[in-house]
Amino acid sequence: MLSPCTVCPRECGVNRLNGELGNCGAGLEPEVSSYHQHFGEEPPLVGRCGSGTIFLTHCNLHCVFCQNHQISQLGIGRKTTLEDLAQMMLKLQGLGCHNINFVTPTPWVPQIVAALRIAQEGGLKVPIVYNCGGYESVVTLKMLDGIVDIYMPDIKYADNRHADTYSGVPDYWDIVRPALAEMHRQVGVLKVKHGIAEKGLLIRHLVLPNGIAGSRQCFEFISRRLSSKTVVNVMAQYYPTFKANEYTRINRRIKTEEYREAIEDMARLGLDAGFRQTLDTIFRTIVPEWTDDLKNE
Ligand code: SF4
């Protein structure tokens, strides 16, 4: 898949085995910015000992408001080997992490799968989290069936024009829907046991100013085409960073009314599993009553 590269929907066709770089800037050797126990992810991923997060460098999206732009777009990270990547996973498991959480895995799927084989031979057992922007190839996702336990994609926009303007992809809405449907087909709704996520789909949606994210259409798709039991984290923490101040419509935080409207739309559509943030303090996350009988449909 790396030559010609068809790992993601951009299908650049470059020969990454020979060092050519495509749109994302990812080459042959995996590049990692950092890896650590992460306590800032959703509670069922964090548990008591944290999510074993591995931040991979480069991204196939180019969001002008990316909060991780140093890693995703400016290439901050170090080249590593498959063996070292496997060792990172084993170290995180050794620290008690409840999962291995690959952040921005999309350009690196072949390398991750190769490193996972080494890690599993070394005793890796915890669930694998695929933490991505939602711009995924269904062909590639099908190859991950049985390998990824928890998919955690964004659903960023319901309008291709906005996706083109703010993330540099003119077909996001056309790509994200079949991608999320494939993830749902593979793992179903999120299953949580004793407060820890074991398997399933957890979708993130960042509310943007001026309705740019198309929140209601995103929720309609999730509720009607996937499942109304889908766990959705509706995030209010948008702030204009990186190049966002060059775009008038996203050059501010969201208003309370905009967030309220999004969660009211969710409620109307029957999406009541997931995470909301309180309106008085967006930093306090309301955790739903997780039960062990949250089943796959
Ligand atoms: S993974 Fe990178 S090089 Fe490969 S198709 Fe996608 S953007 Fe292009």
Side-chain angles (χ1 to χ4, degrees):
M1 294 189 78
L2 293 167
S3 175
C5 188
T6 54
V7 173
C8 91
R10 289 194 185 267
E11 297 192 350
C12 297
V14 294
N15 184 348
R16 289 173 60 186
L17 298 177
N18 276 354
E20 287 178 22
L21 303 179
N23 180 280
C24 63
L28 176 58
E29 297 163 287
E31 292 174 56
V32 172
S33 167
S34 66
Y35 68 103
H36 50 83
Q37 283 169 290
H38 193 347
F39 293 92
E41 300 284 53
E42 285 78 351
L45 295 180
V46 168
R48 287 179 54 214
C49 299
S51 177
T53 306
I54 300 178
F55 283 91
L56 293 143
T57 312
H58 304 296
C59 185
N60 65 339
L61 295 175
H62 300 290
C63 305
V64 296
F65 52 84
C66 182
Q67 297 176 6
N68 290 329
H69 58 272
Q70 295 92 341
I71 303 168
S72 63
Q73 297 184 48
L74 303 182
I76 302 295
R78 286 221 323 244
K79 286 186 179 170
T80 186
T81 62
L82 299 178
E83 288 74 18
D84 283 348
L85 187 54
Q87 285 306 317
M88 291 175 203
M89 301 180 213
L90 291 169
K91 272 189 208 163
L92 291 167
Q93 178 176 266
L95 291 169
C97 293
H98 302 284
N99 46 67
I100 300 301
N101 179 354
F102 290 107
V103 181
T104 325
T106 310
W108 300 111
V109 166
Q111 293 88 340
I112 288 171
V113 171
L116 271 171
R117 182 188 292 271
I118 301 169
Q120 284 165 347
E121 283 168 0
L124 187 75
K125 291 190 171 54
V126 293
I128 302 303
V129 182
Y130 190 91
N131 181 345
C132 68
Y135 193 68
E136 307 294 313
S137 154
V138 170
V139 173
T140 304
L141 288 173
K142 283 185 186 296
M143 294 183 189
L144 292 172
D145 194 356
I147 295 175
V148 169
D149 300 285
I150 298 166
Y151 282 104
M152 189 158 64
D154 295 327
I155 186 165
K156 288 176 179 291
Y157 312 95
D159 185 317
N160 285 330
R161 289 167 305 171
H162 292 326
D164 196 15
T165 303
Y166 302 113
S167 293
V169 277
D171 53 357
Y172 183 86
W173 186 233
D174 304 326
I175 295 289
V176 71
R177 287 175 291 170
L180 267 54
E182 172 60 19
M183 295 176 194
H184 178 77
R185 184 195 69 76
Q186 287 182 26
V187 295
V189 298
L190 193 69
K191 289 195 284 288
V192 177
K193 194 167 183 186
H194 306 308
I196 304 297
E198 290 189 326
K199 183 176 180 178
L201 176 64
L202 193 170
I203 299 177
R204 286 172 165 174
H205 177 74
L206 179 67
V207 180
L208 294 173
N210 292 304
I212 297 292
S215 302
R216 183 168 48 78
Q217 293 99 312
C218 291
F219 300 148
E220 276 173 0
F221 166 72
I222 296 168
S223 178
R224 293 178 181 157
R225 299 299 166 90
L226 303 184
S227 164
S228 62
K229 293 188 176 135
T230 305
V231 175
V232 183
N233 182 7
V234 189
M235 301 184 293
Q237 66 261 43
Y238 174 79
Y239 64 94
T241 184
F242 194 33
K243 301 176 184 167
N245 63 1
E246 297 171 19
Y247 299 82
T248 323
R249 297 184 71 191
I250 59 166
N251 192 20
R252 64 165 170 83
R253 287 181 181 264
I254 62 167
K255 296 175 183 168
T256 301
E257 306 86 77
E258 290 172 317
Y259 188 71
R260 182 185 290 124
E261 194 178 317
I263 58 175
E264 286 174 358
D265 281 338
M266 280 188 76
R268 267 195 293 278
L269 289 159
L271 284 170
D272 48 19
F275 307 91
R276 321 279 181 273
Q277 287 164 334
T278 57
L279 295 175
D280 51 341
T281 163
I282 64 167
F283 299 107
R284 197 174 129 241
T285 299
I286 299 174
V287 183
E289 289 295 313
W290 292 104
T291 60
D292 290 346
D293 59 1
L294 184 62
K295 302 285 189 203
N296 261 328
E297 281 192 321

